[in-house]
Amino acid sequence: MKTLLMIAYNKHKDWINIVKSFGCNPSTAEDIVQEMYIQIHLDIMKGLDLSYNDDINHYYCYKVLRGIYCNIYKKEARIIKLYLDDIDEIKQAEDLGIDEVEYAERKEQIENILKDLYWYDRKIFEICASGKSVASLSRETNISYYSLYNTYTNAKKHIKEKL
């Protein structure tokens, strides 16, 4: 006679499809099904009868799978996710001595002003403002240093005037 764990394993693809229907990706679904096998083994060791007409109780397996999925989902919901861009913006706002809301408003104003600039001026400003030096940009593009420098400083002046 087959053990209940072997009977459950014979329906492995069915369990995977059930977990995928919860909204999991295939690798997470595989992990959840493996956790279910461990739970079944532990419950059998405790003496629970999980059989149903010479088969495993499908409702029990569904409830175990759903419970494991919900526990994982709840744990993920409690995790606070911070993106590096958000951290950089918060740090920049702190360096300027303003709160994040005001920083976001100023950033949006600058982006709107940049939309009014000629595409070349906007691109030079964005590249230099991101940290690339005018000298290195000049070497890479073979554009005159003074041309790039004047474009960048004129764009900064334009932004300051509009703010």
Side-chain angles (χ1 to χ4, degrees):
M1 183 178 153
K2 289 184 171 179
T3 65
L4 281 176
L5 207 50
M6 289 299 293
I7 294 171
Y9 181 73
N10 289 338
K11 298 178 188 255
H12 183 74
K13 289 183 182 177
D14 295 336
W15 306 130
I16 295 289
N17 289 332
I18 289 172
V19 177
K20 283 184 189 176
S21 74
F22 299 155
C24 285
N25 60 37
S27 64
T28 305
E30 186 73 39
D31 292 342
I32 290 173
V33 171
Q34 294 300 324
E35 289 287 327
M36 179 197 70
Y37 293 144
I38 293 170
Q39 185 66 43
I40 289 172
H41 176 71
L42 293 174
D43 288 345
I44 290 171
M45 297 305 279
K46 287 180 188 174
L48 289 175
D49 182 20
L50 305 177
S51 62
Y52 182 76
N53 295 338
D54 294 332
D55 199 6
I56 189 147
N57 188 333
H58 287 261
Y59 179 72
Y60 170 81
C61 292
Y62 174 83
K63 292 299 277 182
V64 169
L65 290 171
R66 186 71 180 167
I68 294 169
Y69 169 76
C70 289
N71 287 340
I72 290 172
Y73 183 75
K74 287 177 187 174
K75 285 179 186 176
E76 287 178 0
R78 281 185 259 157
I79 296 172
I80 298 172
K81 296 176 183 164
L82 282 178
Y83 298 99
L84 293 177
D85 294 340
D86 296 339
I87 294 171
D88 288 341
E89 287 184 7
I90 291 170
K91 185 171 178 356
Q92 289 173 352
E94 288 174 355
D95 291 344
L96 294 173
I98 58 176
D99 64 349
E100 294 134 36
V101 175
E102 187 178 345
Y103 177 79
E105 290 171 356
R106 284 188 186 178
K107 185 176 178 183
E108 186 176 328
Q109 287 175 340
I110 292 171
E111 288 172 357
N112 290 334
I113 294 169
L114 285 175
K115 288 178 186 175
D116 297 338
L117 288 175
Y118 185 65
W119 70 270
Y120 177 78
D121 298 341
R122 180 176 57 246
K123 195 67 174 171
I124 297 300
F125 178 80
E126 288 173 349
I127 291 171
C128 292
S130 70
K132 189 158 196 83
S133 72
V134 176
S136 65
L137 183 60
S138 174
R139 281 190 296 274
E140 289 176 11
T141 60
N142 291 327
I143 300 173
S144 164
Y145 171 84
Y146 293 106
S147 174
L148 292 173
Y149 177 78
N150 288 333
T151 302
Y152 179 61
T153 54
N154 289 338
K156 280 196 318 190
K157 283 180 190 174
H158 181 73
I159 292 170
K160 286 181 183 178
E161 288 172 1
K162 295 285 183 172
L163 288 177

